[in-house]
Amino acid sequence: MLDIEQLKALHAAVDEGTFDAAARKLHVTPSAISQRIKALEVSVGRVLVQRTKPIRVTDSGREVLRLARQIDALTQDVVRELGLGDADGAMARISIAVNADSLSTWVLRVLASFTTEVSFDFHLDDQDHTTELLRDGSVMAAITSVATPIQGCTSSLLGIMRYRPMASASFCERWFSDGVTAEALSKAPVVVFNRKDLLQDRYLGRKVGLLVDPPRHFVPATADFADAVRLGYGWGLLPDLQSLETPGTLVGFDPEYVDDVPLYWQQWKLSSPILARISLAVAARANELLHQLSP
């Protein structure tokens, strides 16, 4: 049987980054945090954290940390349902992994109505990688392109985020005046979100059919990415939800090409009323905004 206070100590130490900060959060001494985590490690027979600054959870510690976070989430739910209040005056804390395009174009608006009762902790990552944060217990839910549910989670389709190759009119006139040819695509600068962003390379692979490496501008912020394309830094694939907001400032230079990225909502299998309400709100809004699969 795992000790609740020891699990709390692990949770706080990883979230806060140091034993001192965890001690302040739990109103105990740093020595007490250290002793509880050591006792927990003895109980499970594994090293759970690396005592660095900040503290890092080990592979074995991830499973225990996920349990600690699930227990904390359920405890918060019970406190709210019984109207007992929170001793620290804190709101429920919900951690969600989400891709940057979804966060900036629709997710923030959806969840704004919950901000009087929920403190959100958003973790940004590419939609192909957000499940890693779910797997290691860093988040309670994730918007992901991975359909297969992570162990201990449920998965449901939200819809499709549709991307199209876009550029400014002046950029197209300069680089694609003779058409979107293999030669043009091998030389025309491209805007890329980060090193995990494969949308542009996927387009190049399908259109050119060989390895090309045009000049790249890395712009790791969704709004700034779109601005860089509008300003003529290069071409890039933009979601319809973003490019259609300002018609006339961008040109779809290859209208026959679309890249449909399916998005799924994965979350812990918890009987949590607040998480269930968030899930329903996200699904409802996604159904309104995202492209839906044909039956």
Side-chain angles (χ1 to χ4, degrees):
M1 182 68 69
L2 299 181
D3 183 86
I4 296 296
E5 296 304 318
Q6 294 170 7
L7 291 172
K8 285 183 179 179
L10 174 67
H11 187 183
V14 174
D15 279 3
E16 301 301 318
T18 66
F19 286 171
D20 287 345
R24 288 193 294 272
K25 181 177 181 179
L26 297 183
H27 308 295
V28 296
T29 65
S31 176
I33 296 293
S34 178
Q35 290 172 14
R36 290 175 187 180
I37 292 177
K38 182 63 177 178
L40 184 59
E41 290 177 324
V42 170
S43 177
V44 301
R46 306 281 180 86
V47 175
L48 301 179
V49 296
Q50 296 175 351
R51 281 135 173 98
T52 55
K53 288 189 178 181
I55 289 169
R56 298 184 183 277
V57 67
T58 65
D59 289 342
S60 297
R62 288 190 180 96
E63 290 298 320
V64 181
L65 177 62
R66 183 165 64 173
L67 172 64
R69 285 177 167 153
Q70 289 175 339
I71 290 174
D72 182 60
L74 290 172
T75 300
Q76 291 181 23
D77 278 341
V78 171
V79 168
R80 284 191 300 275
E81 289 297 310
L82 295 179
L84 299 178
D86 190 313
D88 297 321
M91 296 187 291
R93 184 179 181 183
I94 301 292
S95 53
I96 301 174
V98 58
N99 59 310
D101 288 339
S102 291
L103 185 68
S104 66
T105 56
W106 64 279
V107 170
L108 279 179
R109 294 184 182 94
V110 173
L111 300 180
S113 61
F114 292 92
T115 53
T116 58
E117 54 183 319
V118 174
S119 173
F120 286 104
D121 183 6
F122 292 109
H123 296 243
L124 283 181
D125 208 338
D126 184 84
Q127 60 268 7
D128 294 337
H129 300 274
T130 48
T131 49
E132 294 303 314
L133 296 167
L134 195 61
R135 181 179 286 109
D136 69 19
S138 297
V139 299
M140 302 170 66
I143 292 177
T144 174
S145 61
V146 178
T148 304
I150 300 302
Q151 183 178 5
C153 296
T154 61
S155 177
S156 58
L157 179 66
L158 293 174
I160 293 170
M161 184 164 275
R162 179 159 290 168
Y163 291 80
R164 303 177 196 269
M166 309 293 289
S168 68
S170 60
F171 183 92
C172 291
E173 183 178 351
R174 176 180 179 183
W175 293 99
F176 302 140
S177 58
D178 294 327
V180 186
T181 64
E183 182 180 3
L185 287 172
S186 68
K187 298 177 180 179
V190 56
V191 183
V192 182
F193 188 80
N194 59 25
R195 269 72 179 177
K196 294 180 179 180
D197 178 12
L198 301 178
L199 289 174
Q200 284 70 219
D201 282 317
R202 193 152 61 214
Y203 173 78
L204 288 171
R206 292 176 185 174
K207 297 298 293 187
V208 180
L210 51 85
L211 183 63
V212 295
D213 189 20
R216 296 166 187 262
H217 301 286
F218 290 93
V219 185
T222 298
D224 296 331
F225 180 98
D227 283 343
V229 174
R230 290 188 183 95
L231 291 169
Y233 277 67
W235 64 268
L237 271 84
L238 293 175
D240 285 353
L241 289 177
Q242 189 176 43
S243 60
L244 297 179
E245 285 184 348
T246 52
T249 63
L250 291 167
V251 175
F253 60 83
D254 192 351
E256 294 184 357
Y257 181 91
V258 295
D259 195 337
D260 286 340
V261 177
L263 295 179
Y264 298 84
W265 174 261
Q266 292 206 32
Q267 68 173 63
W268 290 347
K269 289 181 180 177
L270 285 181
S271 182
S272 167
I274 186 64
L275 188 56
R277 286 168 50 211
I278 288 172
S279 176
L280 287 173
V282 168
R285 190 58 174 157
N287 187 64
E288 295 174 357
L289 294 178
L290 301 183
H291 297 275
Q292 300 301 312
L293 285 174
S294 300

